Amino acid sequence: MRLQGKVALLTGAGSGIGKTTAELFAKEGATVIVNDIDQSKGKETAKGIQAGGGSALFLHADVTDSDSVQTMVKEAIKAYAKIDILFNNAGISGVGALHEIEPEAWDRVVQVNLRGVFLPSKHVLPHMMERKAGNIINMSSCIAEIGLARRASYSATKGAVLALTKSMQVDYAKYNIRVNAILPGTIMTPFVEQYLKNAYEDPEAAIAAIKTRQLSGELGRPEDVANGVLFLASDESSFMMGSPLYMDGGVVFGKDA
Ligand code: NAP
């Protein structure tokens, strides 16, 4: 019970890494606020947690919309009086070299992946500052550290999230708020399945190629990342501040040939 008594808000928790992390947080004793833009997937996550004896509430919001996020945070505070942990997880993929990307598609990736970290943080931070306690985990990606083909918009946002994390940590350390980032490698989730279908003619060949760039030889699982997020959310990581945590099967630091 590493999160006993804590209240955690997770964005984009209707699917993939966010969903698995919400389930793990609940098992560890947290009251979980499940956010997603997709009502049915978000409600399903919350229902599953409740059915397993955990405490969960679904709150709908689009993380790119300030009013929507503000209302979600107000409802969360009304229900539980505090938010101890914010996991800024919601994100979308973006495919293409820079010259191939339409401006609207670029803007949407920036909106969800960067504004979608800014807005929940903006609306949750005043509550954490008032209590002089809080823990924020931002979803970056190992792509913030390495060049990968045809991922210009996505890598730009994930690099920005890593830089933002460090800047946030400096500003909020005096309020006893920690801000860290998680940097996964390729994790098999609905997001990646969709990306593989959209970006490659032969998704199976693409998976084989992705496996060869990882020392693990396998793609990651949502559980792998959820365990890292749990560590960042718990007091076990209390000396980590403004840091990246890599969960990437060796993509960033390993080279086999
Ligand atoms: P996922 O399975 O697609 O889950 C993301 C969830 O966020 C989806 O339910 C999605 O809803 C939701 N969402 C999208 N836009 C939203 C918005 N505006 N407001 C609220 N919720 C929104 O993806 P995942 O693979 O778990 O990825 C989660 C995060 O990890 C993302 O930030 C991603 O960039 C990051 N990441 C993933 C990998 C990987 O290999 N999977 C690696 C590194 C980093 P819809 O399905 O309706 O869009």
Side-chain angles (χ1 to χ4, degrees):
M1 289 293 183
R2 291 147 80 187
L3 300 182
Q4 190 67 50
K6 302 284 186 192
V7 177
L9 168 60
L10 299 89
T11 67
S15 173
I17 295 166
K19 178 179 182 164
T20 304
T21 307
E23 291 164 353
L24 182 61
F25 276 17
K27 273 192 201 135
E28 292 291 338
T31 294
V32 172
I33 302 159
V34 174
N35 156 264
D36 206 280
I37 196 167
D38 184 314
Q39 300 247 17
S40 65
K41 287 195 296 182
K43 281 182 182 166
E44 212 178 290
T45 303
K47 262 192 202 160
I49 290 170
Q50 289 158 357
S55 174
L57 171 72
F58 170 68
L59 289 180
H60 176 262
D62 175 347
V63 294
T64 70
D65 182 288
S66 188
D67 290 347
S68 170
V69 172
Q70 193 170 22
T71 303
M72 170 180 72
V73 173
K74 270 189 190 155
E75 284 178 31
I77 294 292
K78 199 171 147 198
Y80 302 117
K82 62 171 186 170
I83 296 170
D84 298 293
I85 300 159
L86 169 64
F87 179 27
N88 283 314
N89 166 72
I92 58 172
S93 73
V95 179
L98 192 145
H99 73 280
E100 300 168 329
I101 302 171
E102 292 303 327
E104 297 73 24
W106 173 277
D107 288 347
R108 186 64 192 159
V109 174
V110 173
Q111 290 262 319
V112 179
N113 293 1
L114 188 53
R115 187 176 162 92
V117 171
F118 162 64
L119 285 175
S121 304
K122 175 177 169 56
H123 292 298
V124 167
L125 270 164
H127 298 283
M128 291 181 166
M129 289 160 72
E130 199 184 321
R131 295 181 57 243
K132 286 217 170 349
N135 189 330
I136 299 179
I137 300 124
N138 291 332
M139 177 55 88
S140 178
S141 162
C142 71
I143 206 167
E145 302 279 19
I146 52 173
L148 277 182
R150 303 189 66 245
R151 310 297 299 282
S153 59
Y154 186 72
S155 68
T157 59
K158 294 301 182 179
V161 167
L162 182 56
L164 174 64
T165 299
K166 295 170 190 175
S167 173
M168 286 170 72
Q169 181 61 89
V170 174
D171 288 338
Y172 300 109
K174 56 179 167 290
Y175 296 98
N176 191 31
I177 296 168
R178 290 195 296 123
V179 189
N180 291 292
I182 188 132
L183 281 72
T186 309
I187 312 297
M188 198 37 110
T189 64
F191 166 102
V192 164
E193 282 168 36
Q194 196 58 46
Y195 157 73
L196 288 169
K197 269 190 218 154
N198 293 346
Y200 298 95
E201 270 176 29
D202 183 351
E204 288 307 315
I207 290 178
I210 289 168
K211 283 180 181 176
T212 61
R213 75 177 181 219
Q214 314 199 157
L215 295 179
S216 63
E218 280 302 330
L219 300 192
R221 303 161 305 148
E223 293 85 336
D224 296 321
V225 183
N227 282 319
V229 183
L230 172 62
F231 171 66
L232 292 175
S234 75
D235 292 340
E236 288 156 33
S237 62
S238 56
F239 204 50
M240 276 185 79
M241 299 180 79
S243 295
L245 178 61
Y246 301 90
M247 308 290 291
D248 68 348
V251 171
V252 172
F253 296 112
K255 238 189 189 331
D256 203 14

Short mmCIF file of all heavy atoms in Angstrom, two decimals, residues 12 15-17 35-38 41 61-64 89-92 108 112 139-141 154 158 184-187 189-192, ligand 1:
data_model
loop_
_atom_site.label_atom_id
_atom_site.label_comp_id
_atom_site.label_asym_id
_atom_site.label_seq_id
_atom_site.Cartn_x
_atom_site.Cartn_y
_atom_site.Cartn_z
N GLY A 12 -6.00 10.89 -19.46
CA GLY A 12 -5.91 9.85 -20.50
C GLY A 12 -5.86 8.45 -19.92
O GLY A 12 -5.17 7.57 -20.45
N SER A 15 -7.26 4.23 -21.29
CA SER A 15 -6.60 3.30 -22.22
C SER A 15 -5.12 3.16 -21.86
O SER A 15 -4.56 4.02 -21.16
CB SER A 15 -6.75 3.87 -23.64
OG SER A 15 -6.00 3.11 -24.57
N GLY A 16 -4.50 2.11 -22.32
CA GLY A 16 -3.05 1.96 -22.34
C GLY A 16 -2.36 2.18 -21.00
O GLY A 16 -2.75 1.64 -19.97
N ILE A 17 -1.30 2.98 -21.05
CA ILE A 17 -0.44 3.20 -19.87
C ILE A 17 -1.22 3.87 -18.74
O ILE A 17 -1.08 3.50 -17.57
CB ILE A 17 0.78 4.08 -20.27
CG1 ILE A 17 1.67 3.33 -21.28
CG2 ILE A 17 1.57 4.49 -19.04
CD1 ILE A 17 2.70 4.21 -21.99
N ASN A 35 -9.36 10.42 -15.66
CA ASN A 35 -9.79 11.36 -16.70
C ASN A 35 -9.57 10.74 -18.07
O ASN A 35 -8.61 10.00 -18.28
CB ASN A 35 -8.99 12.67 -16.62
CG ASN A 35 -8.98 13.39 -17.97
OD1 ASN A 35 -8.05 13.26 -18.78
ND2 ASN A 35 -10.05 14.10 -18.27
N ASP A 36 -10.47 11.05 -19.00
CA ASP A 36 -10.23 10.75 -20.41
C ASP A 36 -11.17 11.60 -21.24
O ASP A 36 -12.24 12.02 -20.77
CB ASP A 36 -10.44 9.26 -20.73
CG ASP A 36 -9.61 8.82 -21.94
OD1 ASP A 36 -10.03 9.07 -23.08
OD2 ASP A 36 -8.52 8.24 -21.74
N ILE A 37 -10.79 11.82 -22.49
CA ILE A 37 -11.68 12.53 -23.42
C ILE A 37 -12.79 11.58 -23.86
O ILE A 37 -13.88 12.02 -24.24
CB ILE A 37 -10.89 13.07 -24.63
CG1 ILE A 37 -11.68 14.12 -25.39
CG2 ILE A 37 -10.41 11.96 -25.54
CD1 ILE A 37 -10.86 14.91 -26.39
N ASP A 38 -12.51 10.29 -23.81
CA ASP A 38 -13.47 9.26 -24.23
C ASP A 38 -14.24 8.76 -23.00
O ASP A 38 -13.68 8.06 -22.14
CB ASP A 38 -12.69 8.11 -24.89
CG ASP A 38 -13.60 7.04 -25.46
OD1 ASP A 38 -14.55 6.63 -24.77
OD2 ASP A 38 -13.34 6.61 -26.60
N LYS A 41 -14.55 4.73 -22.39
CA LYS A 41 -13.30 4.08 -21.96
C LYS A 41 -12.92 4.52 -20.54
O LYS A 41 -12.48 3.70 -19.72
CB LYS A 41 -12.16 4.41 -22.93
CG LYS A 41 -12.29 3.68 -24.27
CD LYS A 41 -10.99 3.73 -25.06
CE LYS A 41 -10.61 5.13 -25.46
NZ LYS A 41 -9.39 5.24 -26.26
N ALA A 61 -12.86 15.26 -19.26
CA ALA A 61 -12.33 16.57 -19.68
C ALA A 61 -11.45 16.36 -20.90
O ALA A 61 -10.85 15.30 -21.06
CB ALA A 61 -11.51 17.22 -18.57
N ASP A 62 -11.42 17.40 -21.72
CA ASP A 62 -10.46 17.45 -22.83
C ASP A 62 -9.28 18.27 -22.29
O ASP A 62 -9.45 19.45 -21.97
CB ASP A 62 -11.13 18.14 -24.02
CG ASP A 62 -10.16 18.35 -25.18
OD1 ASP A 62 -8.94 18.21 -24.99
OD2 ASP A 62 -10.65 18.69 -26.28
N VAL A 63 -8.10 17.66 -22.20
CA VAL A 63 -6.98 18.35 -21.56
C VAL A 63 -6.49 19.56 -22.35
O VAL A 63 -5.67 20.33 -21.86
CB VAL A 63 -5.78 17.40 -21.27
CG1 VAL A 63 -6.13 16.37 -20.23
CG2 VAL A 63 -5.24 16.76 -22.55
N THR A 64 -7.00 19.77 -23.56
CA THR A 64 -6.62 20.95 -24.34
C THR A 64 -7.54 22.14 -24.08
O THR A 64 -7.29 23.23 -24.58
CB THR A 64 -6.63 20.65 -25.86
OG1 THR A 64 -7.98 20.50 -26.29
CG2 THR A 64 -5.84 19.41 -26.20
N ASN A 89 -0.68 12.30 -18.41
CA ASN A 89 -0.39 11.17 -19.29
C ASN A 89 -1.00 11.28 -20.68
O ASN A 89 -0.45 10.75 -21.63
CB ASN A 89 -0.89 9.89 -18.60
CG ASN A 89 -0.94 8.71 -19.54
OD1 ASN A 89 0.09 8.16 -19.92
ND2 ASN A 89 -2.16 8.34 -19.94
N ALA A 90 -2.14 11.98 -20.80
CA ALA A 90 -2.86 11.99 -22.09
C ALA A 90 -1.93 12.45 -23.21
O ALA A 90 -1.15 13.38 -23.05
CB ALA A 90 -4.07 12.90 -22.01
N GLY A 91 -2.02 11.76 -24.34
CA GLY A 91 -1.19 12.16 -25.47
C GLY A 91 -1.66 11.47 -26.74
O GLY A 91 -2.38 10.47 -26.69
N ILE A 92 -1.23 12.03 -27.87
CA ILE A 92 -1.55 11.43 -29.17
C ILE A 92 -0.26 11.33 -29.97
O ILE A 92 0.71 12.04 -29.70
CB ILE A 92 -2.61 12.23 -29.96
CG1 ILE A 92 -2.16 13.67 -30.19
CG2 ILE A 92 -3.95 12.20 -29.23
CD1 ILE A 92 -3.07 14.46 -31.13
N ARG A 108 -2.48 20.12 -33.47
CA ARG A 108 -3.22 19.20 -32.61
C ARG A 108 -2.27 18.40 -31.71
O ARG A 108 -2.54 18.23 -30.51
CB ARG A 108 -4.08 18.23 -33.46
CG ARG A 108 -5.00 17.33 -32.66
CD ARG A 108 -6.06 18.12 -31.90
NE ARG A 108 -6.77 17.31 -30.91
CZ ARG A 108 -7.44 17.78 -29.87
NH1 ARG A 108 -7.53 19.09 -29.66
NH2 ARG A 108 -8.02 16.97 -29.02
N VAL A 112 -2.46 18.66 -27.61
CA VAL A 112 -2.73 17.55 -26.68
C VAL A 112 -1.48 17.26 -25.83
O VAL A 112 -1.56 17.16 -24.61
CB VAL A 112 -3.19 16.27 -27.42
CG1 VAL A 112 -3.42 15.14 -26.41
CG2 VAL A 112 -4.46 16.54 -28.23
N MET A 139 4.31 12.88 -18.68
CA MET A 139 4.61 11.85 -19.67
C MET A 139 5.42 12.45 -20.81
O MET A 139 4.90 13.21 -21.64
CB MET A 139 3.31 11.25 -20.20
CG MET A 139 3.53 10.21 -21.28
SD MET A 139 4.61 8.86 -20.80
CE MET A 139 3.47 7.71 -20.07
N SER A 140 6.72 12.13 -20.84
CA SER A 140 7.57 12.49 -21.99
C SER A 140 7.71 11.23 -22.82
O SER A 140 6.77 10.45 -22.95
CB SER A 140 8.91 13.04 -21.47
OG SER A 140 9.78 13.35 -22.53
N SER A 141 8.87 10.98 -23.37
CA SER A 141 9.12 9.77 -24.16
C SER A 141 10.62 9.71 -24.40
O SER A 141 11.30 10.75 -24.42
CB SER A 141 8.39 9.87 -25.50
OG SER A 141 8.94 8.94 -26.43
N TYR A 154 5.75 14.90 -32.84
CA TYR A 154 5.70 14.14 -31.59
C TYR A 154 6.98 14.37 -30.76
O TYR A 154 6.90 14.65 -29.56
CB TYR A 154 5.52 12.65 -31.91
CG TYR A 154 5.30 11.77 -30.71
CD1 TYR A 154 4.09 11.81 -30.01
CD2 TYR A 154 6.28 10.91 -30.26
CE1 TYR A 154 3.88 11.00 -28.90
CE2 TYR A 154 6.08 10.09 -29.15
CZ TYR A 154 4.88 10.14 -28.48
OH TYR A 154 4.68 9.34 -27.38
N LYS A 158 7.46 16.02 -26.93
CA LYS A 158 7.96 15.23 -25.80
C LYS A 158 9.26 15.83 -25.26
O LYS A 158 9.55 15.75 -24.07
CB LYS A 158 8.12 13.77 -26.20
CG LYS A 158 6.79 13.07 -26.53
CD LYS A 158 5.83 13.11 -25.34
CE LYS A 158 4.52 12.41 -25.62
NZ LYS A 158 3.60 12.43 -24.47
N PRO A 184 9.16 6.56 -21.61
CA PRO A 184 9.08 5.18 -22.09
C PRO A 184 9.66 5.02 -23.49
O PRO A 184 9.70 5.96 -24.28
CB PRO A 184 7.56 4.90 -22.12
CG PRO A 184 6.91 6.03 -21.40
CD PRO A 184 7.84 7.20 -21.56
N GLY A 185 10.08 3.78 -23.76
CA GLY A 185 10.36 3.37 -25.13
C GLY A 185 9.05 2.93 -25.77
O GLY A 185 7.98 3.40 -25.39
N THR A 186 9.12 2.03 -26.74
CA THR A 186 7.88 1.62 -27.41
C THR A 186 7.14 0.58 -26.57
O THR A 186 7.67 -0.49 -26.29
CB THR A 186 8.19 1.06 -28.81
OG1 THR A 186 9.02 2.00 -29.50
CG2 THR A 186 6.90 0.85 -29.59
N ILE A 187 5.93 0.94 -26.20
CA ILE A 187 5.10 0.12 -25.31
C ILE A 187 3.87 -0.31 -26.10
O ILE A 187 3.22 0.53 -26.74
CB ILE A 187 4.64 0.95 -24.07
CG1 ILE A 187 5.81 1.70 -23.43
CG2 ILE A 187 3.89 0.07 -23.07
CD1 ILE A 187 6.92 0.86 -22.85
N THR A 189 0.46 -0.61 -26.81
CA THR A 189 -0.82 -0.07 -26.34
C THR A 189 -1.67 0.21 -27.59
O THR A 189 -1.15 0.21 -28.72
CB THR A 189 -0.63 1.27 -25.59
OG1 THR A 189 -0.11 2.22 -26.52
CG2 THR A 189 0.31 1.16 -24.41
N PRO A 190 -2.97 0.52 -27.41
CA PRO A 190 -3.80 0.89 -28.57
C PRO A 190 -3.20 2.03 -29.39
O PRO A 190 -3.32 2.07 -30.61
CB PRO A 190 -5.13 1.31 -27.93
CG PRO A 190 -5.18 0.53 -26.66
CD PRO A 190 -3.76 0.44 -26.17
N PHE A 191 -2.53 2.96 -28.71
CA PHE A 191 -1.87 4.10 -29.35
C PHE A 191 -0.81 3.62 -30.35
O PHE A 191 -0.75 4.08 -31.49
CB PHE A 191 -1.24 4.90 -28.20
CG PHE A 191 -0.23 5.96 -28.50
CD1 PHE A 191 -0.59 7.29 -28.48
CD2 PHE A 191 1.11 5.64 -28.72
CE1 PHE A 191 0.35 8.28 -28.69
CE2 PHE A 191 2.05 6.61 -28.93
CZ PHE A 191 1.67 7.95 -28.91
N VAL A 192 0.00 2.66 -29.95
CA VAL A 192 1.08 2.16 -30.81
C VAL A 192 0.50 1.29 -31.93
O VAL A 192 0.95 1.36 -33.08
CB VAL A 192 2.15 1.42 -29.98
CG1 VAL A 192 3.05 0.56 -30.85
CG2 VAL A 192 2.99 2.45 -29.22
P1 NAP B 1 -3.46 5.38 -25.49
O1 NAP B 1 -3.64 3.92 -25.26
O2 NAP B 1 -3.96 5.97 -26.77
O3 NAP B 1 -4.03 6.21 -24.25
C1 NAP B 1 -4.07 7.63 -24.26
C2 NAP B 1 -5.45 8.08 -23.78
O4 NAP B 1 -5.46 9.53 -23.76
C3 NAP B 1 -6.56 7.64 -24.74
O5 NAP B 1 -7.65 7.08 -24.02
C4 NAP B 1 -6.93 8.94 -25.43
O6 NAP B 1 -8.27 8.98 -25.89
C5 NAP B 1 -6.70 9.94 -24.30
N1 NAP B 1 -6.67 11.31 -24.79
C6 NAP B 1 -6.26 11.72 -26.04
N2 NAP B 1 -6.47 13.04 -26.15
C7 NAP B 1 -7.00 13.46 -24.98
C8 NAP B 1 -7.44 14.73 -24.52
N3 NAP B 1 -7.39 15.81 -25.30
N4 NAP B 1 -7.94 14.81 -23.26
C9 NAP B 1 -8.03 13.73 -22.47
N5 NAP B 1 -7.65 12.51 -22.86
C10 NAP B 1 -7.13 12.37 -24.12
O7 NAP B 1 -1.88 5.75 -25.44
P2 NAP B 1 -0.65 5.20 -24.55
O8 NAP B 1 0.25 4.45 -25.43
O9 NAP B 1 -1.12 4.62 -23.27
O10 NAP B 1 0.08 6.60 -24.28
C11 NAP B 1 -0.12 7.36 -23.12
C12 NAP B 1 0.96 8.42 -23.07
O11 NAP B 1 2.24 7.79 -23.10
C13 NAP B 1 0.95 9.40 -24.24
O12 NAP B 1 1.27 10.70 -23.77
C14 NAP B 1 2.06 8.91 -25.15
O13 NAP B 1 2.62 9.92 -25.92
C15 NAP B 1 3.03 8.40 -24.10
N6 NAP B 1 4.00 7.42 -24.60
C16 NAP B 1 3.57 6.25 -25.15
C17 NAP B 1 4.50 5.34 -25.63
C18 NAP B 1 4.09 4.04 -26.24
O14 NAP B 1 4.95 3.40 -26.89
N7 NAP B 1 2.85 3.60 -26.08
C19 NAP B 1 5.87 5.64 -25.53
C20 NAP B 1 6.28 6.84 -24.97
C21 NAP B 1 5.33 7.73 -24.49
P3 NAP B 1 -8.53 8.66 -27.45
O15 NAP B 1 -8.14 7.22 -27.65
O16 NAP B 1 -9.99 8.93 -27.61
O17 NAP B 1 -7.65 9.60 -28.23
#
